[in-house]
Amino acid sequence: MTSRSPCGTGYKGTIFYKGELTEATLLSRGEVLEVRGPAAPCDCEVCLEMGGTVALPGMVDIHVHLRGLLLSHKEDPRTGSRAALRGGVVAVADMPNTLPKVNTPENLKLKVEELGKKCLVDCYAYAGVPGSPEEVKLMSRLAVGFKVYPEDYDKLHVLEGYEGLVVVHPEHPDYVKESPEPGERAFSRSPEAEPKAMELFRSFKKVHFTHVSTPEGVRKAKDLGFSYDVTPHHLLLTNEVERRKKCKAKVNPPLRDEARRAELLELFLEDEAIVATDHAPHAIWEKELPFPECPPGFPGLETALPSLLTLYKRGVMSLEKVVKAYSELPADLLGLRLGRLESGFLASFTVVDLNSRWRVEPWEFETKAKYSPFEGMELWGEVVATVVRGKMRYFAGEFY
Ligand code: DOR
Ligand code: ZN
């Protein structure tokens, strides 16, 4: 694309640029961003010019469950990507624990086709661990990485020789017991389960540990020299929320005790770590089953950025940290031209009103899963617009 090609969606105003807020003009030349000074003309098909807003690089979520196919009653890539747009997220990586499971080349192809047809943001697929190294080789062409669940720990040899990204759910089954009692899973699924599982990956070259929920886990990941991500729910909520909200706050790994939550947040603030939602929608009737039977997981795409912006507004973390954790570092991990508002990157950005405060009312969500452990909480930061590759996909409650 030359800089003479016409501009699709532009923005004029305050942008987040190289660690700080500055006045500028964003232009999209085809799918590519051009950043110019504040006086440059915004001669675009659509030019967003709204005082009081800030343009951030679009968020990148490396851990979501868009479900689809035979799990479409929980979510599908269309509703899941609408939730992403509402949350200022421009790219997601989708997990393979679906029906059918994405652990064969055929099923991976089905998954990628479905994502291609229904996604409104950039959607990437992880592959599950297949039966043989030959399949790993085939699948690595279509997948952004492989996802290892606890039930895969005894077939890690299949991944030998694969040099790409391996994302691991670290919960060692020997240290995990289910408690029927809301509030107690923080302990029955032992905090030790995380470091014990991580130890199994010592000989791997490149591993990323996802939804690390304990200080024990963070220390082990760092000790092994691997990257990790934390979720907004583990940073902000505790097992007392599980005790009160029961299934609507049931998740794996579980919400932890207050001391561990506070230490996790402290470690996260000191470190270069990623935030990912583990957006894991289930149908409401499934979440209304008795506590021991209801499935773990809840939606997160529509509350993640506002929950981080709330920490920013409270003075707990800088805006730079928000952008680094939920845009720049995850983009780098997946090797995407996202995460920075700089000329030459993809023209995917989100416009937020940092001074707007709203109450989480999950029945208003775009995801099919209209419940949340954040229900009733007041969060700062409203997503006004989300632009993906130069195209405006969301603006003020409407999707395009
Ligand atoms: O709470 C969870 N829900 N943890 C997982 O690891 C899976 C996820 C899901 O797919 O629902
Ligand atoms: Zn997950």
Side-chain angles (χ1 to χ4, degrees), residues 139-187:
M139 293 164 85
S140 63
R141 291 185 205 140
L142 275 186
V144 72
F146 283 80
K147 172 70 185 290
V148 176
Y149 281 95
E151 61 263 33
D152 304 315
Y153 291 173
D154 54 7
K155 50 172 175 170
L156 297 181
H157 57 275
V158 174
L159 291 171
E160 255 171 52
Y162 170 71
E163 299 203 328
L165 177 65
V166 175
V167 174
V168 175
H169 175 141
E171 270 197 304
H172 198 298
D174 293 355
Y175 296 80
V176 165
K177 256 184 70 189
E178 261 315 312
S179 169
E181 204 52 55
E184 295 305 315
R185 300 173 72 255
F187 313 104

Side-chain angles (χ1 to χ4, degrees), residues 63 65 95 147 149 211 278:
H63 187 152
H65 299 260
M95 288 295 166
K147 172 70 185 290
Y149 281 95
H211 53 44
D278 194 9

Side-chain angles (χ1 to χ4, degrees), residues 63-65 67 71 74 95 97-98 147 149-151 169 171 185 189 210-211 233-234 250-254 278-282 287 295-298:
H63 187 152
V64 306
H65 299 260
R67 315 287 195 204
L71 293 180
K74 295 175 193 271
M95 288 295 166
N97 62 335
T98 42
K147 172 70 185 290
Y149 281 95
E151 61 263 33
H169 175 141
E171 270 197 304
R185 300 173 72 255
R189 299 182 79 97
T210 192
H211 53 44
H233 51 271
H234 290 117
K250 182 177 175 181
V251 66
N252 289 341
D278 194 9
H279 175 83
H282 295 282
K287 294 300 262 182
F298 42 69

